[in-house]
Amino acid sequence: MRLTKKLSLFAAAAVITASTAVLAAPTFINVLTGGTSGVYYPIGVALSQLYSNGIDGAKTSVQATKASVENLNLLQAGRGELAFALGDSVADAWNGVEDAGFKAPLKKLRAIAGTYPNYIQIVANAESGIKTLEDLKGKRISVGAPKSGTELNARAIFEAAGLSYKDMGKVEFLPYAESVELIKNRQLDATLQSSGLGMAAIRDLASTMKISFVSIPAEVTAKIDNAAYEAATIPAGTYDGQDADVPTVAINNILVTHEGVSDEVAYQMTKLMFDNLERLGTAHSAAKDIKLESATKNLPIPLHPGAERFYKEAGAL
């Protein structure tokens, strides 16, 4: 009898312990960003710090990746909870555009917020003589990792301008920092970067050599068959030695999660971001363009219900 009673008490204690463990289970939030010299990474670090301090039981991490395409595929596989991605890549992921790096439609994706625009920034060593898109013919250029968001942008822009990779002297598929190093070493003439303004890699290049910016005229932008691409301007003085405005293309960035993230966690991630926009702006100036009033506009995927709850409370929906 005593043995039976002891076993019953032991079983009850085990159930209580297991229940406590479940209640105390940490919330893992892995933030998928991009290269460490880009804009996604510092903003992602700032977000992870906000979530670590502001969400009970949160264990956060930041993962440097090849950005948009890789991030979206990782989210679909449940290997991250929040990711940065370009709007056109998000649309391609939702629709399963194989040529863009998505073998099937990624229907688990959900939006947290539209954020700030990426600007296409085509930068060249001034000694190369490159000043226009036409001048890129026969030159050595880097266009981002294969089938990355940046590389997909490059293809769209070159096609609209009547160019292709075959027109270039050499095409490298490299991330920001590596591209800049090769320009410094005179092994590349130019690089096309898709990023927020004031990105570290271009600032670094501008501080070490004279560079030129290649304009993307509005008429070229108009020929791109994708509503995500809009005519924009890189303001004069954004980088050392850049004395004039540069016409270019902008594509909005989207913070994306997946349907497996709980409504409460998605709500908290959204709320903490908008409650701390000033802090995010100190992490990188590009975050200063994140606006509550535009966060839910023109999203190519459904909002996460947790994020939707926040926007309704904030009067943005």
Side-chain angles (χ1 to χ4, degrees):
M1 190 71 175
R2 287 181 179 177
L3 180 59
T4 303
K5 188 174 182 180
K6 284 182 178 180
L7 286 172
S8 298
L9 289 170
F10 179 79
V15 169
I16 292 169
T17 302
S19 299
T20 304
V22 169
L23 290 172
T27 298
F28 293 99
I29 301 175
N30 186 28
V31 183
L32 306 169
T33 59
T36 55
S37 62
V39 176
Y40 288 171
Y41 190 81
I43 298 177
V45 169
L47 283 172
S48 75
Q49 292 169 347
L50 289 175
Y51 299 156
S52 179
N53 296 326
I55 300 175
D56 287 344
K59 288 189 175 295
T60 63
S61 56
V62 181
Q63 184 175 340
T65 67
K66 295 177 183 177
S68 298
V69 177
E70 182 180 8
N71 289 353
L72 295 169
N73 282 310
L74 287 171
L75 278 183
Q76 178 75 12
R79 294 171 58 192
E81 286 65 49
L82 187 70
F84 291 81
L86 283 164
D88 58 331
S89 292
V90 176
D92 287 341
W94 185 255
N95 294 316
V97 179
E98 189 169 357
D99 194 45
F102 307 105
K103 295 180 180 178
L106 306 189
K107 295 300 185 181
K108 293 181 181 179
L109 302 181
R110 297 292 183 270
I112 290 291
T115 57
Y116 63 90
N118 258 25
Y119 291 78
I120 302 301
Q121 301 168 71
I122 306 178
V123 189
N125 177 354
E127 295 174 359
S128 69
I130 298 171
K131 294 180 180 179
T132 68
L133 288 168
E134 190 72 15
D135 292 337
L136 291 170
K137 286 184 176 180
K139 297 296 196 292
R140 303 165 299 173
I141 185 170
S142 173
V143 293
K147 292 187 178 179
S148 63
T150 296
E151 199 256 319
L152 297 177
N153 295 161
R155 283 194 241 168
I157 290 161
F158 290 158
E159 182 179 354
L163 300 169
S164 74
Y165 290 159
K166 292 179 181 179
D167 294 313
M168 314 301 168
K170 182 180 183 181
V171 179
E172 294 280 6
F173 299 89
L174 298 169
Y176 302 149
E178 292 176 43
S179 302
V180 163
E181 286 305 312
L182 289 179
I183 293 176
K184 287 182 186 177
N185 296 332
R186 272 59 177 186
Q187 293 173 275
L188 279 179
D189 300 305
T191 179
L192 182 148
Q193 311 273 9
S194 177
S195 181
L197 294 177
M199 67 170 301
I202 296 179
R203 288 205 315 267
D204 174 39
L205 185 63
S207 70
T208 57
M209 67 192 309
K210 191 173 181 181
I211 60 175
S212 58
F213 284 81
V214 177
S215 295
I216 302 173
E219 56 266 29
V220 170
T221 304
K223 291 178 182 177
I224 301 173
D225 186 23
N226 191 320
Y229 291 72
E230 298 179 342
T233 301
I234 302 172
T238 300
Y239 299 98
D240 289 348
Q242 182 213 339
D243 301 326
D245 289 348
V246 180
T248 189
V249 174
I251 306 109
N252 206 36
N253 284 291
I254 301 174
L255 273 174
V256 186
T257 186
H258 61 79
E259 64 182 12
V261 172
S262 75
D263 289 2
E264 181 60 26
V265 169
Y267 171 83
Q268 292 292 343
M269 288 196 300
T270 312
K271 179 175 171 55
L272 283 166
M273 179 176 72
F274 284 102
D275 285 351
N276 293 275
L277 287 181
E278 187 173 340
R279 179 172 170 182
L280 291 182
T282 63
H284 197 284
S285 59
K288 294 177 181 178
D289 284 332
I290 301 175
K291 309 290 184 187
L292 178 62
E293 56 269 24
S294 58
T296 62
K297 293 180 180 177
N298 302 318
L299 295 174
I301 59 174
L303 273 171
H304 192 290
E308 187 175 356
R309 174 185 149 204
F310 166 78
Y311 293 121
K312 287 179 177 176
E313 287 181 1
L317 270 182

